[in-house]
Amino acid sequence: MTPIDPTSQSSGAGTAETPLTTLNPAAGHLTIINTYTVAPERADALLATLIRATEETLRFVPGFVSANFHINAERTQIVNYAQWESREALLRAGSDPAVVTRIQEAGQIAERFTPVQYELRQSIAGASGLDSLKP
């Protein structure tokens, strides 16, 4: 399998209709960080499966906000930082047969899968972004 091009953007990335992830505690979004453990030789297959599931199914589920995929240097872990409008939206998605099928597909490739839910409390920008505000 050909490695995923890290510079490419998916069809739904960053348009006016489908904004990228916004880290704003006031939005009240539920964040779920999914960590997948995978054999290095299966990392591309898992990443492709997760991206396809998100592009073809998850992004159309009511309450879905965004997903961001990361892979570690050793290619043994893939992390999905996903946002949902609410805990209820995530629960409804978990009972959708199409979503369940997609989760099972990824589970067949990954060795282990750990989802953890979070609420964003604070987001702090780097100081370099403040340079334009200096007198």
Side-chain angles (χ1 to χ4, degrees):
M1 171 170 266
T2 305
I4 302 293
D5 178 0
T7 61
S8 70
Q9 292 189 350
S10 68
S11 59
T15 66
E17 297 81 30
T18 57
L20 295 174
T21 299
T22 300
L23 299 176
N24 178 1
H29 294 147
L30 175 71
T31 300
I32 184 163
I33 299 177
N34 302 296
T35 303
Y36 298 83
T37 301
V38 63
E41 65 274 8
R42 297 185 66 145
D44 287 329
L46 178 57
L47 191 55
T49 297
L50 293 169
I51 291 169
R52 187 174 56 253
T54 303
E55 289 181 332
E56 295 175 0
T57 304
L58 287 166
R59 71 185 188 126
F60 299 105
V61 174
F64 175 81
V65 176
S66 66
N68 303 274
F69 300 95
H70 311 263
I71 187 166
N72 71 339
E74 295 80 18
R75 302 174 50 76
T76 57
Q77 290 190 328
I78 293 174
V79 172
N80 173 10
Y81 179 100
Q83 290 181 319
W84 290 83
E85 288 178 356
S86 66
R87 189 174 312 279
E88 294 74 25
L90 179 62
L91 290 172
R92 282 191 304 274
S95 63
D96 181 324
V99 172
V100 171
T101 297
R102 295 300 197 154
I103 292 169
Q104 290 171 342
E105 289 172 359
Q108 291 175 351
I109 301 170
E111 295 172 1
R112 190 171 48 249
F113 164 61
T114 307
V116 180
Q117 297 177 17
Y118 298 91
E119 295 175 13
L120 177 62
R121 295 300 175 99
Q122 185 69 42
S123 186
I124 300 171
S128 64
L130 302 176
D131 288 343
S132 64
L133 300 176
K134 290 182 181 178

